[in-house]
């Protein structure tokens, strides 16, 4: 019945609204331009074509403006299509300014904010293409642009009136690579997205979605500028693929835990948007939406394109949808077929076509835009409200709730209570409020009011890199114009100050303070539930920044840096020809000197660099011939390491397993680096990414030399020869397994004896997903030059070792770093961390005339862990006494 009436009604509406919207010239359809409809089987548009089409749309329509937000790593223009009514497009600067004022919530009364909220336009960000092989997410951008520019129904007209949409491509290079790879096969039915030969973001591949608090990549920098400095949208929507098996898509709201620094309004707004999106699909009879416990996505992590927005009071949406240009099946997953609050409208097994995924995506975009149109004033006011809350929390004593604090209350209560025979309180038990007061009103446990980053720290250039990550993400930072003191401690001029009484306070706390991840188990005593990504990542720790927390209001000769104005990176300081090896920038300066053929010496006592020999104990250093081993398709950790080598000016060759297996390695290289996943680990599944390989004649000749794996049978003997003849090998993470294949006198520290047999500790006893741990270092050896006696290191289910006593005696294996206590956790989640006590995190081993360096933790993780880069750098020079 409904259908019977729907057609004439829709027709009548479109006739009415067509009169309202004066479309200037015909908008070319995708089919007219590309020769196929978006979503046709076996067809994908690439980036160049998309760019050309959208430029054409922009020329034909007065509803959009084609803008470029920067260059990509491969040099392409990255577009952002601004879509709104012709009237709104004439006043973009005005609406941008309103959006900024409300997001910053500075110097506004509530009444002024209400007024601005009514006057402003809702700013909505919708993107696509981040993960280039997730092609439904990429192609939907084109269809969405076309529909918004060509449709004249009243909903579209009202959206254009109330909303400014920023439709942004977030990985142009990837779309060009992947679409061309898919379309290269002339036979449509034989086209495949598998085995893309290299990373779809030059350095990071899939990890381009882990860079948003660090801003290493050009695309990330471009995007963060629009999201956190320029437009600060109230809602952002990040499209991904694929939905969990048996669903069509996963969307908001997401499962627990959420990060405790968020404003609660972020979380309830996610509920509202999730309801709008799933209800729209249900109203259109589009089943298969799953949410909350129906998928693995949570809101714990910072650093993702979507998740970083929560720390800025932005409602970040992510969907993961199924479907690609090759027709597929919705599989039968019986337990997905029981309707529940996670999956209200289950999809039944059936054939699934690409066009359906595109239609779903457009419906979801419209659901978000429709919500933004209807709740226009509220969305604009709420971001102000959250910003004002942040300023309030940062202006007074405030205590953020987190599991550790609640544990402290429990512990106090347990000690105070008479013995009852049970050690666990029931959920309904109540306690006298003095237990609360003694923890959550304890002045020593207050949130910081601000942070001081002294300019006289040994690696100030890295501290400025950290400051620029904050500024690039829209945080307001002050710089001291003169010396000052806080709480009796003096600081020099040029120090940076980050105060917490600002709208993006959650982001500041998150990058300076530990993440307190809850103990999250499937059931009491059961296996841990893996966090979606890292559990802890405190950037100030992993970058090795020296800073002070200030617990009271403070002020000084501080000059506020304008929003988004990045600080010039300080150059490495040379004092009478000496470069301090505690500063990472010194390595860049030294590499430039070596490249120019200038002599450089290292003091064997301190590791400092000198441009002329200073007394005894000096070694002349030379650039090493460095090779970085990669894999077909591109290893993500190797990509990040390649990025680091380029940033610090270490010239290096990227090689593949075939080169290793061919032997004669000493003729070509002095040092070979293996990151996690390249050398197979006996306990690992091997490669984390792109493990499956194509047959050689199915790929272009230029990539065939990338095929193959490191094997114990063929590669390890060559690596052994290389070491014995004087070569050096650096292994990180899982690739430290090489030490076992070389039969070095070490063994796995993370084992237990069961029935007389040794086995790896099960996750129920020991589980440390990506977290920050403190390790101790032997500062008497060259490997640790420039490091302090302790360092914060990124640990991700990393290998830990025990060195056999005989090796300690003969000196063949020497620890570089170890866990000196049973409580090394600094940030994140470390279940059973006591097992780490006395475990060796890193060691160096003499093999013949060569040396193997083994670093269990991820010392170069995502090019973020600047505090441990030197452990790699020190291994990358040759020296002569
Ligand atoms: Zn994705």
């Amino acid at each position: 019945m409904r259908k019977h009436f729907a057609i004439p009604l829709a027709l009548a509406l479109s006739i009415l609204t067509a009169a309202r919207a004066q479309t200037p010239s015909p908008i070319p359809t995708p089919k007219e331009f590309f020769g196929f409809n978006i979503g046709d089987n076996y067809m994908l548009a690439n980036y160049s074509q998309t760019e050309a089409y959208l430029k054409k749309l922009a020329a034909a329509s007065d509803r959009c403006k084609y803008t470029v937000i920067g260059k990509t790593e491969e040099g392409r223009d990255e577009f952002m299509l601004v879509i709104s009514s012709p009237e709104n497009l004439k006043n973009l600067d005005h609406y941008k300014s309103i959006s900024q004022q409300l997001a910053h919530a500075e110097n506004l009364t509530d009444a002024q904010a209400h007024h601005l909220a009514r006057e402003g336009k809702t700013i909505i960000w919708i993107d696509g293409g981040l993960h280039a092989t997730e092609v439904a997410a990429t192609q939907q951008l084109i269809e969405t642009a076309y529909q918004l520019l060509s449709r004249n129904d009243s909903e579209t007209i009202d959206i254009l009136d109330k909303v400014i949409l920023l439709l942004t491509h977030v990985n142009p290079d990837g779309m060009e690579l992947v679409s061309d790879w898919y379309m290269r096969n002339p036979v449509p039915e034989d086209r495949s997205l598998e085995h893309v030969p290299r990373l779809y973001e030059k350095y990071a591949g899939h990890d381009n979605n882990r860079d948003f608090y660090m801003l290493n990549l050009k695309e990330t920098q471009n995007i963060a500028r629009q999201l956190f400095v320029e437009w600060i949208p109230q809602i952002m929507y990040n499209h991904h693929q694929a939905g969990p098996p048996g669903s069509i898509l996963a969307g908001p709201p997401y499962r627990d835990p959420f990060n405790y620094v968020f404003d609660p309004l972020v979380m309830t707004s996610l509920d509202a948007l999730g309801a709008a999106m799933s209800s729209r699909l249900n109203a259109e009879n589009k089943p298969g939406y799953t949410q909350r416990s129906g998928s693995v996505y949570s809101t714990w992590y910072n650093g993702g394109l979507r998740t970083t927005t929560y720390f800025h009071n932005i409602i970040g949406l992510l969907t993961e949808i199924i479907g690609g240009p090759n027709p597929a099946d919705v599989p039968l997953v019986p337990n997905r077929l029981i309707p529940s609050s996670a999956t209200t409208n289950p999809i039944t097994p059936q054939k699934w076509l690409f066009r359906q995924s595109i239609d779903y995506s457009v419906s979801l975009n419209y659901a978000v835009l429709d919500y933004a149109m209807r709740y226009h004033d509220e969305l604009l006011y709420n971001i102000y409200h959250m910003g004002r809350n942040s300023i309030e929390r940062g202006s007074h004593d405030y205590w953020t709730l987190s599991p550790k604090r609640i544990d402290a209350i429990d512990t106090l209560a347990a000690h105070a209570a008479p013995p009852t025979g049970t050690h666990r309180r029931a959920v309904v038990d109540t306690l006298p409020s003095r237990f609360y007061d003694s923890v959550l009103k304890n002045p020593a446990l207050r949130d910081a009011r601000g942070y001081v980053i002294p300019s006289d720290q040994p690696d100030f250039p890295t501290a400025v890199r950290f400051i620029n990550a904050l500024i690039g993400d829209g945080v307001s930072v002050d710089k001291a114009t003169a010396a000052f003191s806080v709480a009796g401690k003096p600081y020099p001029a040029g120090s940076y100050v980050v105060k917490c009484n600002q709208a993006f306070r959650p982001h500041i706390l998150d990058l300076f303070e530990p993440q307190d991840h809850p103990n999250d188990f499937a059931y009491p005593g059961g296996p841990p539930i893996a966090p979606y990504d890292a559990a802890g990542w405190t950037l100030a720790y992993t970058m090795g920044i020296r800073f002070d927390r200030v617990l009271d209001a403070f002020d000084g000769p501080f000059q506020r840096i304008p929003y988004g104005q990045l600080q010039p990176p300080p150059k490495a300081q040379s004092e009478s020809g000496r470069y301090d090896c505690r500063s990472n920038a010194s390595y860049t300066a030294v590499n430039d000197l070596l490249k120019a053929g200038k002599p450089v010496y290292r003091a064997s006592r301190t590791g400092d660099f000198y441009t002329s020999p200073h007394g005894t104990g000096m070694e002349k250093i030379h650039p090493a011939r460095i090779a970085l081993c990669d894999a077909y398709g591109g290893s993500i950790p190797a990509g990040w390491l390649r990025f680091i080598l380029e940033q610090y000016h270490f010239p290096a060759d990227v090689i593949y397993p075939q080169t290793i297996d061919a032997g004669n390695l000493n003729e070509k290289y002095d040092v070979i680096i293996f990151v996690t996943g390249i050398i197979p680990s006996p306990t690992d599944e091997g490669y984390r990414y792109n493990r499956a390989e194509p047959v050689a004649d199915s790929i272009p000749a230029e990539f065939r030399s990338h095929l193959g794996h490191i094997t114990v049978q063929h590669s390890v003997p060559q690596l052994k020869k290389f070491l014995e003849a004087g070569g050096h090998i650096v292994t990180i993470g899982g690739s430290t397994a090489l030490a076992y294949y070389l039969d070095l006198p070490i063994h796995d520290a993370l084992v237990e004896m069961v029935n007389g047999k040794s086995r790896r500790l099960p996750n129920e006893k020991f589980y440390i997903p990506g977290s920050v741990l403190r390790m101790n270092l032997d500062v008497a050896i060259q490997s640790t030059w420039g490091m302090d006696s302790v360092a914060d290191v990124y640990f991700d289910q990393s290998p830990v070792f025990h060195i056999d006593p005989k090796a300690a005696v003969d000196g063949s294996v020497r620890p570089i770093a170890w866990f000196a206590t049973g409580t090394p956790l600094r940030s994140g989640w470390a279940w059973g961390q006591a097992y780490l006590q006395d475990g060796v995190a890193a060691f160096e081993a003499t093999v013949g005339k060569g040396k193997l360096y083994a670093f269990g933790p991820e010392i170069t993780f995502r090019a973020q862990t600047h505090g441990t880069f030197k452990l790699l750098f020190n291994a990358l020079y040759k020296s002569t006494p």
Side-chain angles (χ1 to χ4, degrees):
M1 283 303 278
R2 203 168 150 234
K3 218 169 191 175
H4 182 75
F5 289 107
I7 295 162
L9 189 67
L11 265 175
L13 273 173
S14 70
I15 291 162
L16 266 173
T17 52
R20 275 168 60 189
Q22 305 268 311
T23 309
S25 58
I27 305 295
T29 66
K31 177 140 190 161
E32 283 161 1
F33 184 85
F34 298 104
F36 54 88
N37 299 303
I38 297 304
D40 277 356
N41 292 341
Y42 307 113
M43 301 306 285
L44 290 179
N46 71 10
Y47 185 76
S48 316
Q49 293 160 348
T50 303
E51 203 181 18
Y53 177 59
L54 295 184
K55 281 180 181 168
K56 208 160 183 179
L57 289 190
S61 169
D62 58 1
R63 294 181 186 176
C64 81
K65 229 178 121 175
Y66 183 92
T67 70
V68 173
I69 61 172
K71 291 281 184 195
T72 66
E73 288 289 357
E74 292 180 16
R76 292 185 177 82
D77 281 347
E78 182 162 15
F79 73 72
M80 181 173 85
L81 205 60
V82 185
I83 299 178
S84 194
S85 71
E87 294 72 33
N88 294 343
L89 289 174
K90 286 176 199 144
N91 294 300
L92 286 182
D93 286 345
H94 178 62
Y95 294 122
K96 187 195 275 189
S97 160
I98 291 176
S99 185
Q100 288 175 0
Q101 289 178 64
L102 290 170
H104 290 148
E106 290 165 333
N107 309 317
L108 285 181
T109 63
D110 291 357
Q112 288 169 324
H114 275 299
H115 182 83
L116 285 174
R118 273 192 299 276
E119 187 187 341
K121 302 295 170 189
T122 334
I123 312 298
I124 305 299
W125 168 286
I126 294 178
D127 65 46
L130 185 68
H131 293 154
T133 48
E134 301 169 6
V135 293
T138 304
Q139 303 285 312
Q140 58 84 26
L141 270 185
I142 306 168
E143 183 67 21
T144 299
Y146 170 68
Q147 293 209 21
L148 281 166
L149 302 187
S150 63
R151 277 167 62 165
N152 290 308
D153 52 278
S154 58
E155 186 187 31
T156 302
I157 299 303
D158 290 346
I159 287 170
L160 294 170
D161 179 41
K162 286 285 189 191
V163 176
I164 295 172
L165 169 63
L166 311 172
L167 195 70
T168 311
H169 202 298
V170 283
N171 182 6
D173 299 340
M175 185 183 187
E176 194 81 343
L177 170 73
V178 168
S179 296
D180 289 352
W181 182 254
Y182 180 81
M183 296 296 288
R184 82 190 192 284
N185 196 323
V187 184
E189 288 75 13
D190 290 346
R191 288 176 185 156
S192 163
L193 286 163
E194 290 199 308
H195 307 310
V196 177
R198 60 181 177 86
L199 294 174
Y200 55 61
E201 195 289 338
K202 187 177 175 187
Y203 300 103
H206 187 272
D207 265 5
N208 63 353
N209 200 23
R210 305 291 184 271
D211 189 42
F212 283 85
Y213 57 65
M214 188 73 232
L215 309 183
N216 273 324
L217 307 170
K218 289 204 167 78
E219 299 84 20
T220 321
Q221 293 160 12
N222 300 338
I223 294 163
R225 176 141 199 110
Q226 299 307 317
L227 284 177
F228 306 131
V229 178
E230 295 283 336
W231 280 99
I232 320 177
Q234 294 80 46
I235 301 175
M236 74 82 71
Y237 179 7
N238 178 220
H239 281 261
H240 286 260
Q241 194 166 353
S247 75
I248 298 302
L249 77 146
Y254 309 100
R255 71 173 172 98
D256 281 340
F258 64 78
N259 198 297
Y260 307 114
V261 299
F262 294 159
D263 193 289
L265 194 46
V266 167
M267 301 316 297
T268 46
S269 301
L270 273 176
D271 291 345
L273 264 300
M277 294 162 82
S278 52
S279 290
R280 183 161 188 129
L281 292 189
N282 286 341
E284 293 178 1
N285 291 327
K286 292 187 168 96
Y289 189 104
T290 192
Q291 58 181 15
R292 296 191 196 275
S293 60
S295 84
V296 297
Y297 306 101
S298 76
T299 52
W300 178 254
Y301 179 61
N302 196 338
L305 170 50
R306 162 193 58 116
T307 58
T308 303
T309 65
Y310 303 135
F311 298 82
H312 295 77
N313 305 325
I314 296 170
I315 307 160
L317 309 172
L318 156 130
T319 54
E320 299 266 352
I321 198 165
I322 70 160
N326 298 46
D329 294 300
V330 177
L332 171 61
V333 180
N335 66 14
R336 287 246 181 232
L337 292 173
I338 304 167
S340 70
S341 59
T343 311
T344 52
N345 189 4
I347 183 102
T348 51
Q350 57 188 268
K351 265 255 162 308
W352 193 258
L353 298 179
F354 196 27
R355 180 66 207 187
Q356 294 175 278
S357 301
I358 301 297
D359 288 342
Y360 267 59
S361 300
V362 173
S363 292
L364 291 160
N365 288 340
Y366 260 81
V368 172
L369 293 166
D370 185 277
Y371 185 98
M373 172 260 287
R374 290 179 198 277
Y375 293 94
H376 154 271
D377 305 13
E378 182 181 299
L379 284 164
L380 282 159
Y381 187 80
N382 281 358
I383 199 168
Y384 158 78
H385 180 80
M386 291 186 269
R388 196 194 59 188
N389 283 347
S390 285
I391 293 170
E392 278 289 310
R393 289 169 192 142
S395 305
H396 300 103
D397 288 348
Y398 192 83
W399 288 261
T400 298
L401 295 169
S402 81
K404 210 185 285 172
R405 298 279 162 84
I406 309 312
D407 284 351
I409 293 176
D410 274 340
T411 306
L412 279 176
H415 285 301
T420 60
T422 58
H423 60 282
R424 274 199 178 274
R425 287 184 300 106
V427 176
V428 292
D429 275 5
T430 61
L431 292 172
S433 62
R434 65 190 157 90
F435 292 115
Y436 175 90
D437 295 352
S438 58
V439 176
L440 286 153
K441 287 188 181 171
N442 179 346
L445 300 179
R446 281 173 291 170
D447 290 353
R449 295 281 188 92
Y451 304 87
V452 181
I453 295 140
S455 60
D456 58 356
Q457 58 189 290
D459 192 359
F460 190 55
T462 294
V464 175
R465 176 65 187 83
F466 173 74
I467 286 295
N468 278 338
L470 289 171
I471 293 174
D473 270 348
V475 169
S476 174
V477 176
D478 293 343
K479 191 172 183 182
T481 53
F484 64 102
S485 63
V486 175
K489 185 172 175 182
Y491 296 97
S495 297
Y496 289 98
V497 171
V498 185
K499 289 196 177 175
C500 294
N501 57 347
Q502 54 177 303
F504 301 159
R505 176 179 181 270
H507 192 64
I508 299 168
L509 292 183
D510 194 63
L511 296 193
F512 277 103
E513 300 287 344
Q515 284 78 45
D516 184 12
H517 194 281
N519 286 317
D520 194 11
F521 292 96
Y523 49 88
I529 299 170
Y532 178 64
D533 194 83
W537 51 84
T538 309
L539 195 59
Y541 293 179
T542 60
M543 290 184 79
I545 307 303
R546 295 198 184 169
F547 66 93
D548 288 314
R549 305 171 76 240
V550 183
L551 297 184
D552 291 297
F554 67 109
D555 222 329
F558 305 151
Q559 191 163 43
R560 188 174 251 214
I561 298 163
Y563 280 111
Q565 187 179 298
L566 298 179
Q567 297 298 287
K571 286 251 182 285
Q573 289 155 6
S574 145
E575 285 160 29
S576 49
R578 168 183 165 269
Y579 288 90
D580 188 333
C581 72
R582 294 176 299 170
S583 171
N584 288 351
S586 292
Y587 292 79
T588 316
V590 162
N591 289 337
D592 290 347
L593 289 170
L594 291 173
K595 192 181 177 197
K598 305 260 170 62
V600 182
Y601 303 83
R602 268 193 112 163
S604 51
R605 198 174 55 79
T606 61
D608 284 341
F609 301 96
Y610 291 87
T611 51
S612 60
H614 271 59
T616 56
M618 282 279 172
E619 289 188 336
K620 190 166 189 204
I621 59 168
H622 312 276
R625 298 167 302 164
I626 303 166
L628 168 65
C629 192
D630 205 334
Y632 181 85
S635 139
I636 292 168
W640 282 122
L641 206 136
R642 175 161 46 84
F643 177 84
I644 294 170
L645 295 175
E646 287 181 20
Q647 292 287 308
Y648 290 90
H649 302 186
F650 284 100
D653 282 358
V654 174
I655 61 169
Y656 294 86
Q658 290 178 31
T659 305
I660 304 282
D661 291 359
N664 274 330
L665 294 166
N666 302 80
E667 311 233 313
K668 290 171 258 178
Y669 300 111
D670 303 305
V671 189
I672 307 176
I673 307 169
F674 295 94
V675 295
T676 285
I678 299 295
I679 294 181
S681 156
T683 54
D684 245 15
E685 258 104 80
Y687 288 102
R688 227 194 260 183
Y689 307 102
N690 298 312
R691 184 170 172 76
E693 290 201 333
V695 285
D697 57 10
S698 72
I699 60 167
E702 60 179 304
F703 296 113
R704 288 179 199 160
S705 63
H706 298 193
L707 294 170
H709 295 109
I710 297 294
T711 61
V712 175
Q713 197 188 357
H714 300 292
S715 322
V716 170
Q718 297 298 346
L719 294 175
K720 196 172 178 197
K721 263 192 225 168
F722 174 70
L723 285 165
E724 283 169 345
H728 287 201
I729 292 178
V730 179
T731 56
I732 301 173
S735 283
T736 55
L738 179 61
Y740 294 118
Y741 305 134
L742 295 170
D743 287 324
L744 295 178
I746 51 144
H747 55 266
D748 189 345
L750 300 175
V751 292
E752 62 177 0
M753 298 300 286
V754 176
N755 301 328
K757 277 189 172 170
S758 152
R759 66 160 196 189
R760 268 190 83 78
L761 287 165
N763 285 353
E764 287 84 349
K765 291 186 173 171
F766 178 84
Y767 183 69
I768 306 183
S771 290
V772 184
L773 305 184
R774 174 147 285 185
M775 60 180 189
N776 285 55
L777 296 110
D778 179 355
V779 291
I781 53 176
Q782 296 191 6
S783 295
T784 60
W785 271 341
M787 301 286 294
D788 286 335
S789 58
V790 293
D792 291 330
V793 70
Y794 190 82
F795 188 95
D796 185 8
Q797 310 247 57
S798 302
V800 181
F801 312 93
H802 280 152
I803 297 176
D804 296 350
K806 71 173 164 73
V809 174
D810 68 17
S812 60
V813 179
R814 183 170 178 162
I816 296 172
W818 59 92
F819 298 107
T821 73
T823 53
L825 179 66
R826 289 272 286 156
S827 179
W829 186 19
W831 183 249
Q833 58 174 320
Y835 284 104
L836 288 173
Q837 171 124 31
D838 301 325
V840 170
F843 62 85
E844 52 182 54
T846 305
V847 182
K849 289 191 225 161
K851 233 171 196 185
L852 172 75
Y853 300 91
F855 298 98
E858 297 293 332
I859 58 169
T860 55
F861 191 65
R862 294 174 176 162
Q864 296 172 358
T865 55
H866 292 238
T868 49
F869 286 177
K870 284 185 277 283
L871 294 170
L872 169 71
F873 294 168
N874 283 328
L876 302 183
Y877 297 106
K878 282 199 309 176
S879 59
T880 48

